[in-house]
Amino acid sequence: MQSTRDRILERLDRLPETMLNEILQFIDSLVNRLPAVKGIPGKLLLDLAGSLPSEDASEMRQAIENDCGQVDFDEW
């Protein structure tokens, strides 16, 4: 079964540019309704420095090295 994203992309390929512009405007209006994501100032995180056990940090580092930076071209 196709994902919703795949079905949308399939249908977009059939539309003329004028309709694609309308869809883009609609998508922009949806995106603008999303709540703003605010980060945490780094100075508030300083209290956490050194709180992660080195064994856990090593496991995390290894997982990142093994799994990140690899592109799955079939994912999208």
Side-chain angles (χ1 to χ4, degrees), residues 6-65:
D6 289 339
R7 293 183 356 238
I8 290 170
L9 292 174
E10 182 180 281
R11 286 164 178 80
L12 286 176
D13 286 338
R14 296 188 237 157
L15 296 177
E17 190 70 23
T18 54
M19 289 182 161
L20 290 174
N21 284 325
E22 289 180 46
I23 292 169
L24 179 59
Q25 289 174 6
F26 175 68
I27 291 171
D28 286 341
S29 73
L30 293 176
V31 169
N32 289 332
R33 290 184 0 208
L34 292 173
V37 176
K38 295 182 180 181
I40 298 173
K43 64 183 178 181
L44 295 178
L45 299 174
L46 285 176
D47 290 339
L48 299 174
S51 64
L52 183 66
S54 62
E55 184 178 309
D56 292 346
S58 293
E59 284 183 40
M60 290 173 65
R61 189 177 298 112
Q62 189 63 47
I64 291 168
E65 288 174 7

Side-chain angles (χ1 to χ4, degrees), residues 1-11 75-76:
M1 182 173 175
Q2 281 186 314
S3 70
T4 301
R5 179 187 179 86
D6 289 339
R7 293 183 356 238
I8 290 170
L9 292 174
E10 182 180 281
R11 286 164 178 80
E75 184 177 351
W76 290 87

